[in-house]
Amino acid sequence: MIDIRFVACCALAVAGCSDSIDPVAPGESAAPVVAIADGWEPPTLSEADILADRLLRREDDNLLLDAAQRRELAREIADVLARIRHAYPAVADIFARPPYAYGELILALEPWLFEAVSSLLEDSTGPVALRTGHADFDSLNARLGLSVVVNMFQFSGTVVFYFNEYLNVAAAAGMYAAMEGIEYAESNAYVGDGSDIDAVKTEGRWYVIARRAWGDCPAGCINEVLDFFIVNGDDVERIERAQAMDRAEFRNLVISRGWN
């Protein structure tokens, strides 16, 4: 078992957890101090966090999102959603749906790199400095605040790494995928489909779409109904679909999400 307090500290590595990176000796690269978590799951994000993360990733390709900026945006989004649900209770049971486990990446490693990782972790009973000797890999792990090895799969040579909830998953996956020793990198995605919310803010106004979806959603929902809202301060207005699709904000959201 791991010390969860240690894991919590390491999850905040980029915010200053001094024990999360192994001291660097001359000629060595930085390496994160990690724990192996049997059945561990990342922290649960609120739907406002999910939407704030989604909005920031659309406009920010940094490997780590700004934590303070995301928290501030999430507070504003929570207020926007509360206003919509108060004004239109019919959509109060629709919530933002997370697309993947936040802060996690699945990495398929070439055999030599998987062996380097697994040999450091297989017999460990506590935190381990994950220094594999692959300088770029070790350095990026440390830079992004790798704190937990969630799973290792010998048969496929894959690992599931948890960094922290502010990881820009798509940008980080692209960085790892381009690295020697890594066959592919991807998010730890959730399967299936379902109801969801998406939003964009333009010139002080929030454009929000609530999608109610049903019918064989594990394979991809067959049916959906979209409701469109504009929130401007205290004012909440529901917009009919034909009128909404004349607005670039709504139209671009629908297209980008593949909604009908």
PDB file of all heavy atoms in Angstrom, residues 228-244:
ATOM      1  N   PHE A 228     -30.121  25.322 -26.222  1.00  0.00           N
ATOM      2  CA  PHE A 228     -29.136  26.384 -26.378  1.00  0.00           C
ATOM      3  C   PHE A 228     -29.477  27.543 -25.441  1.00  0.00           C
ATOM      4  O   PHE A 228     -30.631  27.992 -25.390  1.00  0.00           O
ATOM      5  CB  PHE A 228     -29.117  26.882 -27.828  1.00  0.00           C
ATOM      6  CG  PHE A 228     -28.813  25.813 -28.837  1.00  0.00           C
ATOM      7  CD1 PHE A 228     -29.821  24.991 -29.331  1.00  0.00           C
ATOM      8  CD2 PHE A 228     -27.525  25.620 -29.304  1.00  0.00           C
ATOM      9  CE1 PHE A 228     -29.553  24.001 -30.270  1.00  0.00           C
ATOM     10  CE2 PHE A 228     -27.240  24.630 -30.254  1.00  0.00           C
ATOM     11  CZ  PHE A 228     -28.254  23.822 -30.730  1.00  0.00           C
ATOM     12  N   PHE A 229     -28.459  28.047 -24.725  1.00  0.00           N
ATOM     13  CA  PHE A 229     -28.674  29.129 -23.765  1.00  0.00           C
ATOM     14  C   PHE A 229     -27.593  30.185 -23.920  1.00  0.00           C
ATOM     15  O   PHE A 229     -26.427  29.874 -24.179  1.00  0.00           O
ATOM     16  CB  PHE A 229     -28.636  28.595 -22.329  1.00  0.00           C
ATOM     17  CG  PHE A 229     -29.628  27.508 -22.054  1.00  0.00           C
ATOM     18  CD1 PHE A 229     -29.263  26.170 -22.180  1.00  0.00           C
ATOM     19  CD2 PHE A 229     -30.933  27.811 -21.676  1.00  0.00           C
ATOM     20  CE1 PHE A 229     -30.179  25.155 -21.937  1.00  0.00           C
ATOM     21  CE2 PHE A 229     -31.855  26.803 -21.427  1.00  0.00           C
ATOM     22  CZ  PHE A 229     -31.475  25.470 -21.560  1.00  0.00           C
ATOM     23  N   ILE A 230     -28.012  31.434 -23.742  1.00  0.00           N
ATOM     24  CA  ILE A 230     -27.067  32.544 -23.647  1.00  0.00           C
ATOM     25  C   ILE A 230     -27.216  33.142 -22.258  1.00  0.00           C
ATOM     26  O   ILE A 230     -28.319  33.496 -21.839  1.00  0.00           O
ATOM     27  CB  ILE A 230     -27.321  33.619 -24.720  1.00  0.00           C
ATOM     28  CG1 ILE A 230     -27.108  33.038 -26.115  1.00  0.00           C
ATOM     29  CG2 ILE A 230     -26.394  34.816 -24.499  1.00  0.00           C
ATOM     30  CD1 ILE A 230     -27.417  34.034 -27.236  1.00  0.00           C
ATOM     31  N   VAL A 231     -26.085  33.224 -21.546  1.00  0.00           N
ATOM     32  CA  VAL A 231     -26.093  33.793 -20.200  1.00  0.00           C
ATOM     33  C   VAL A 231     -25.249  35.053 -20.220  1.00  0.00           C
ATOM     34  O   VAL A 231     -24.045  35.016 -20.537  1.00  0.00           O
ATOM     35  CB  VAL A 231     -25.533  32.790 -19.165  1.00  0.00           C
ATOM     36  CG1 VAL A 231     -25.560  33.399 -17.765  1.00  0.00           C
ATOM     37  CG2 VAL A 231     -26.322  31.486 -19.202  1.00  0.00           C
ATOM     38  N   ASN A 232     -25.891  36.157 -19.889  1.00  0.00           N
ATOM     39  CA  ASN A 232     -25.221  37.458 -19.872  1.00  0.00           C
ATOM     40  C   ASN A 232     -25.462  38.077 -18.505  1.00  0.00           C
ATOM     41  O   ASN A 232     -26.522  38.643 -18.249  1.00  0.00           O
ATOM     42  CB  ASN A 232     -25.764  38.345 -20.985  1.00  0.00           C
ATOM     43  CG  ASN A 232     -25.026  39.669 -21.085  1.00  0.00           C
ATOM     44  OD1 ASN A 232     -23.937  39.833 -20.525  1.00  0.00           O
ATOM     45  ND2 ASN A 232     -25.613  40.630 -21.790  1.00  0.00           N
ATOM     46  N   GLY A 233     -24.484  37.906 -17.604  1.00  0.00           N
ATOM     47  CA  GLY A 233     -24.691  38.368 -16.233  1.00  0.00           C
ATOM     48  C   GLY A 233     -25.781  37.561 -15.558  1.00  0.00           C
ATOM     49  O   GLY A 233     -25.721  36.332 -15.515  1.00  0.00           O
ATOM     50  N   ASP A 234     -26.816  38.252 -15.075  1.00  0.00           N
ATOM     51  CA  ASP A 234     -27.934  37.571 -14.408  1.00  0.00           C
ATOM     52  C   ASP A 234     -28.987  37.070 -15.390  1.00  0.00           C
ATOM     53  O   ASP A 234     -29.899  36.338 -14.998  1.00  0.00           O
ATOM     54  CB  ASP A 234     -28.602  38.525 -13.405  1.00  0.00           C
ATOM     55  CG  ASP A 234     -27.691  38.879 -12.253  1.00  0.00           C
ATOM     56  OD1 ASP A 234     -26.754  38.098 -11.986  1.00  0.00           O
ATOM     57  OD2 ASP A 234     -27.909  39.929 -11.618  1.00  0.00           O
ATOM     58  N   ASP A 235     -28.880  37.462 -16.653  1.00  0.00           N
ATOM     59  CA  ASP A 235     -29.910  37.120 -17.640  1.00  0.00           C
ATOM     60  C   ASP A 235     -29.607  35.781 -18.306  1.00  0.00           C
ATOM     61  O   ASP A 235     -28.479  35.540 -18.760  1.00  0.00           O
ATOM     62  CB  ASP A 235     -29.998  38.204 -18.714  1.00  0.00           C
ATOM     63  CG  ASP A 235     -30.425  39.553 -18.149  1.00  0.00           C
ATOM     64  OD1 ASP A 235     -31.199  39.538 -17.168  1.00  0.00           O
ATOM     65  OD2 ASP A 235     -29.966  40.580 -18.659  1.00  0.00           O
ATOM     66  N   VAL A 236     -30.627  34.932 -18.366  1.00  0.00           N
ATOM     67  CA  VAL A 236     -30.519  33.630 -19.033  1.00  0.00           C
ATOM     68  C   VAL A 236     -31.588  33.568 -20.115  1.00  0.00           C
ATOM     69  O   VAL A 236     -32.781  33.765 -19.849  1.00  0.00           O
ATOM     70  CB  VAL A 236     -30.729  32.469 -18.047  1.00  0.00           C
ATOM     71  CG1 VAL A 236     -30.628  31.127 -18.780  1.00  0.00           C
ATOM     72  CG2 VAL A 236     -29.720  32.538 -16.911  1.00  0.00           C
ATOM     73  N   GLU A 237     -31.172  33.299 -21.346  1.00  0.00           N
ATOM     74  CA  GLU A 237     -32.105  33.221 -22.470  1.00  0.00           C
ATOM     75  C   GLU A 237     -31.942  31.886 -23.178  1.00  0.00           C
ATOM     76  O   GLU A 237     -30.833  31.482 -23.527  1.00  0.00           O
ATOM     77  CB  GLU A 237     -31.823  34.355 -23.451  1.00  0.00           C
ATOM     78  CG  GLU A 237     -32.767  34.389 -24.646  1.00  0.00           C
ATOM     79  CD  GLU A 237     -32.426  35.506 -25.620  1.00  0.00           C
ATOM     80  OE1 GLU A 237     -31.392  36.171 -25.429  1.00  0.00           O
ATOM     81  OE2 GLU A 237     -33.206  35.690 -26.579  1.00  0.00           O
ATOM     82  N   ARG A 238     -33.066  31.194 -23.380  1.00  0.00           N
ATOM     83  CA  ARG A 238     -33.044  29.963 -24.164  1.00  0.00           C
ATOM     84  C   ARG A 238     -33.297  30.323 -25.624  1.00  0.00           C
ATOM     85  O   ARG A 238     -34.220  31.076 -25.944  1.00  0.00           O
ATOM     86  CB  ARG A 238     -34.097  28.979 -23.678  1.00  0.00           C
ATOM     87  CG  ARG A 238     -34.092  27.652 -24.434  1.00  0.00           C
ATOM     88  CD  ARG A 238     -35.157  26.711 -23.900  1.00  0.00           C
ATOM     89  NE  ARG A 238     -35.187  25.458 -24.652  1.00  0.00           N
ATOM     90  CZ  ARG A 238     -35.823  25.284 -25.788  1.00  0.00           C
ATOM     91  NH1 ARG A 238     -36.516  26.298 -26.338  1.00  0.00           N
ATOM     92  NH2 ARG A 238     -35.792  24.122 -26.414  1.00  0.00           N
ATOM     93  N   ILE A 239     -32.465  29.785 -26.512  1.00  0.00           N
ATOM     94  CA  ILE A 239     -32.526  30.115 -27.931  1.00  0.00           C
ATOM     95  C   ILE A 239     -33.000  28.900 -28.719  1.00  0.00           C
ATOM     96  O   ILE A 239     -32.522  27.786 -28.511  1.00  0.00           O
ATOM     97  CB  ILE A 239     -31.133  30.541 -28.450  1.00  0.00           C
ATOM     98  CG1 ILE A 239     -30.534  31.645 -27.580  1.00  0.00           C
ATOM     99  CG2 ILE A 239     -31.211  30.982 -29.897  1.00  0.00           C
ATOM    100  CD1 ILE A 239     -31.315  32.928 -27.592  1.00  0.00           C
ATOM    101  N   GLU A 240     -33.938  29.114 -29.617  1.00  0.00           N
ATOM    102  CA  GLU A 240     -34.378  28.028 -30.487  1.00  0.00           C
ATOM    103  C   GLU A 240     -33.242  27.595 -31.403  1.00  0.00           C
ATOM    104  O   GLU A 240     -32.383  28.397 -31.783  1.00  0.00           O
ATOM    105  CB  GLU A 240     -35.579  28.468 -31.334  1.00  0.00           C
ATOM    106  CG  GLU A 240     -36.845  28.730 -30.531  1.00  0.00           C
ATOM    107  CD  GLU A 240     -37.329  27.475 -29.804  1.00  0.00           C
ATOM    108  OE1 GLU A 240     -37.174  26.365 -30.369  1.00  0.00           O
ATOM    109  OE2 GLU A 240     -37.857  27.610 -28.689  1.00  0.00           O
ATOM    110  N   ARG A 241     -33.274  26.322 -31.787  1.00  0.00           N
ATOM    111  CA  ARG A 241     -32.159  25.751 -32.536  1.00  0.00           C
ATOM    112  C   ARG A 241     -31.853  26.528 -33.823  1.00  0.00           C
ATOM    113  O   ARG A 241     -30.691  26.828 -34.111  1.00  0.00           O
ATOM    114  CB  ARG A 241     -32.428  24.289 -32.856  1.00  0.00           C
ATOM    115  CG  ARG A 241     -31.272  23.638 -33.618  1.00  0.00           C
ATOM    116  CD  ARG A 241     -31.581  22.239 -34.091  1.00  0.00           C
ATOM    117  NE  ARG A 241     -30.446  21.716 -34.827  1.00  0.00           N
ATOM    118  CZ  ARG A 241     -29.477  20.970 -34.320  1.00  0.00           C
ATOM    119  NH1 ARG A 241     -29.516  20.631 -33.046  1.00  0.00           N
ATOM    120  NH2 ARG A 241     -28.474  20.545 -35.062  1.00  0.00           N
ATOM    121  N   ALA A 242     -32.879  26.849 -34.607  1.00  0.00           N
ATOM    122  CA  ALA A 242     -32.648  27.535 -35.884  1.00  0.00           C
ATOM    123  C   ALA A 242     -31.944  28.864 -35.672  1.00  0.00           C
ATOM    124  O   ALA A 242     -31.023  29.230 -36.419  1.00  0.00           O
ATOM    125  CB  ALA A 242     -33.977  27.745 -36.601  1.00  0.00           C
ATOM    126  N   GLN A 243     -32.349  29.579 -34.639  1.00  0.00           N
ATOM    127  CA  GLN A 243     -31.722  30.861 -34.334  1.00  0.00           C
ATOM    128  C   GLN A 243     -30.315  30.643 -33.790  1.00  0.00           C
ATOM    129  O   GLN A 243     -29.381  31.386 -34.127  1.00  0.00           O
ATOM    130  CB  GLN A 243     -32.568  31.617 -33.301  1.00  0.00           C
ATOM    131  CG  GLN A 243     -32.025  32.992 -32.923  1.00  0.00           C
ATOM    132  CD  GLN A 243     -32.867  33.652 -31.854  1.00  0.00           C
ATOM    133  OE1 GLN A 243     -33.886  33.113 -31.417  1.00  0.00           O
ATOM    134  NE2 GLN A 243     -32.429  34.832 -31.410  1.00  0.00           N
ATOM    135  N   ALA A 244     -30.152  29.608 -32.963  1.00  0.00           N
ATOM    136  CA  ALA A 244     -28.842  29.338 -32.368  1.00  0.00           C
ATOM    137  C   ALA A 244     -27.806  29.010 -33.429  1.00  0.00           C
ATOM    138  O   ALA A 244     -26.651  29.454 -33.358  1.00  0.00           O
ATOM    139  CB  ALA A 244     -28.959  28.197 -31.371  1.00  0.00           C
TER     140      ALA A 244
END
